[in-house]
Amino acid sequence: MNYLDLQDPRPIYEQITDMYRMLILKGAMKPDEPMPSVRKLAMELSTNPNTVQKAYTELEREGYIYSVKGRGNFVRDNPDLREKKRKELKDRLDAIFKEASDIGISREELLK
Amino acid sequence: MNYLDLQDPRPIYEQITDMYRMLILKGAMKPDEPMPSVRKLAMELSTNPNTVQKAYTELEREGYIYSVKGRGNFVRDNPDLREKKRKELKDRLDAIFKEASDIGISREELLK
Amino acid sequence: MNYLDLQDPRPIYEQITDMYRMLILKGAMKPDEPMPSVRKLAMELSTNPNTVQKAYTELEREGYIYSVKGRGNFVRDNPDLREKKRKELKDRLDAIFKEASDIGISREELLK
Amino acid sequence: MNYLDLQDPRPIYEQITDMYRMLILKGAMKPDEPMPSVRKLAMELSTNPNTVQKAYTELEREGYIYSVKGRGNFVRDNPDLREKKRKELKDRLDAIFKEASDIGISREELLK
DNA sequence: GTGGTCTAGACCACA
DNA sequence: GTGGTCTAGACCACA
């Protein structure tokens, strides 16, 4: 089980979303598998339920999970997410290459 | 001269540091060349002098500029900066490759 | 028989009322025809009997069904329901047209 | 100035997003015009700053506004929003027509 | 002054 | 039990 890193400059809710995005994209959590309950995860991470709720709301908005009132949150079956993530990583890669090229460092020099 | 992009989510002081880091690394500003005065740049960017000051303090801390009391700020002659920056870009690149590999996307798939 | 869509954001009891409202208005269920028993439907939908009970109470309140103590629930003979539903749909339609017109989109532009 | 309707079953934060979505789409608020500050709007609506913050976060996510740290929130220049909204209204319209047709009510009967 | 994050705790709807 | 909304209040970064 992963724990939060208080040294990490990212806000707690973002560390939680990042953690579950990876678990879901990696296939470690399968479609329709239940997410930990908001209150339980808050206790496990020694954080506030509102913070977990905020993370879950964000994951739902992004299509990673869905929520059923009174029952809990569940992993969504969303095959597009992987492709979206690939594109996002590709864009970040290109931004780095551009930054490098602006100061005269070539792709090759960076990759080697 | 570049202007600030208010729609950019980065804080203003960071947009300023980023801008001057690039200008210096690129060689567009030479060692010992004077930086614009804090007040003048603040006016040009229609921002708060405190914000420009914060950016300059950060650039000084990173070794990009030096300040002379009563005279202003100047570009520092620092040949290591380019290598430092290359390393930083390389690290960010590797972080992306790791993130990709964690969800089963290879370097090759990302680069093509 | 329709099943519940757990990814549907509507609460389960509402999905049940919606389903039976349609079946009754459509004539797929006739007056005095018995509704499935609360327990049986709960099992079929793998949901909680309390949830089905809540749906039935709502359908009764709206005049779609009537309940006979000890015997179960039955479709009510209620010729006004169709007209009520027509009016409700009409109202929702007008609300959409108003929302559109507020931002300068005409009925015609929306309908085409 | 609009006030909240406590009778309204929608949550407060949603009433706020709905209100500003309309104002922006209608053109009553222009690109780069400042939104009321979180604290000020909270006072005006006699609600909690967190609730306004939640509304603004949602508006930002949907592309209606952008936020500048330390300066405030501003209306975004986003010409796609109107088309998105038109599509959303169209979809809701079609859903009503489908519901009607399922119980034997024609488009014409509903529109007249 | 501005927004953003977080905690503690209440209350509600739903299953 | 579950999630969702809201309040009150603190603290931080930024301009």
Side-chain angles (χ1 to χ4, degrees), chain C residues 1 3-4 8-9 13-14 25 53 60 69 71 74-76 79 83 91 96 98-99 106:
Chain C
M1 180 56 60
Y3 289 95
L4 299 177
D8 195 315
Y13 89 92
E14 203 178 311
L25 287 173
Q53 185 54 58
E60 191 182 1
K69 283 226 179 83
R71 297 220 23 243
F74 301 86
V75 175
R76 188 158 167 188
E83 178 52 22
D91 288 347
I96 291 180
K98 178 171 183 325
E99 231 180 287
S106 69

Side-chain angles (χ1 to χ4, degrees), chain B residues 36-45 47-49 52-53 56:
Chain B
S37 86
V38 170
R39 284 186 189 174
K40 197 178 155 200
L41 185 57
M43 292 226 350
E44 246 180 71
L45 302 175
T47 192
N48 194 306
V52 174
Q53 186 52 60
Y56 279 16

Side-chain angles (χ1 to χ4, degrees), chain A residues 10 18 21 32-33 43 50-51 55 68 71-72 74 79 83 85 92 96 98 104 106 111:
Chain A
R10 287 172 308 165
D18 280 352
R21 268 193 222 103
D32 295 317
E33 187 175 334
M43 293 224 352
N50 284 339
T51 304
V68 188
R71 298 212 33 232
F74 302 86
E83 178 51 23
K85 183 71 180 181
R92 282 164 55 194
I96 291 181
K98 180 176 181 320
S106 68
L111 282 167

Side-chain angles (χ1 to χ4, degrees), chain B residues 2-107:
Chain B
N2 274 315
Y3 290 95
L4 299 177
D5 177 3
L6 289 181
Q7 310 230 8
D8 195 314
R10 287 172 305 166
I12 292 173
Y13 87 93
E14 203 177 310
Q15 295 188 44
I16 297 173
T17 53
D18 281 352
M19 183 165 88
Y20 280 98
R21 268 194 223 101
M22 289 314 265
L23 288 171
I24 293 169
L25 287 174
K26 211 188 274 217
M29 296 193 72
K30 304 292 186 191
D32 296 317
E33 186 176 337
M35 296 285 286
S37 86
V38 170
R39 284 186 189 174
K40 197 178 155 200
L41 185 57
M43 292 226 350
E44 246 180 71
L45 302 175
S46 358
T47 192
N48 194 306
N50 290 337
T51 305
V52 174
Q53 186 52 60
K54 175 160 190 178
Y56 279 16
T57 303
E58 175 64 13
L59 287 169
E60 191 182 1
R61 200 186 64 72
E62 294 176 11
Y64 284 84
I65 64 178
Y66 63 92
S67 106
V68 185
K69 285 226 178 84
R71 295 217 28 240
N73 292 274
F74 301 85
V75 176
R76 187 158 167 187
D77 188 9
N78 189 338
D80 298 343
L81 285 178
R82 187 192 190 69
E83 177 53 21
K84 254 197 216 163
K85 182 71 179 179
R86 203 198 55 80
K87 202 174 168 322
E88 183 222 305
L89 290 171
K90 175 74 177 147
D91 288 346
R92 282 163 55 194
L93 203 69
D94 288 343
I96 291 180
F97 285 140
K98 178 172 182 325
E99 232 182 285
S101 124
D102 278 350
I103 57 172
I105 296 175
S106 68
R107 273 167 99 100

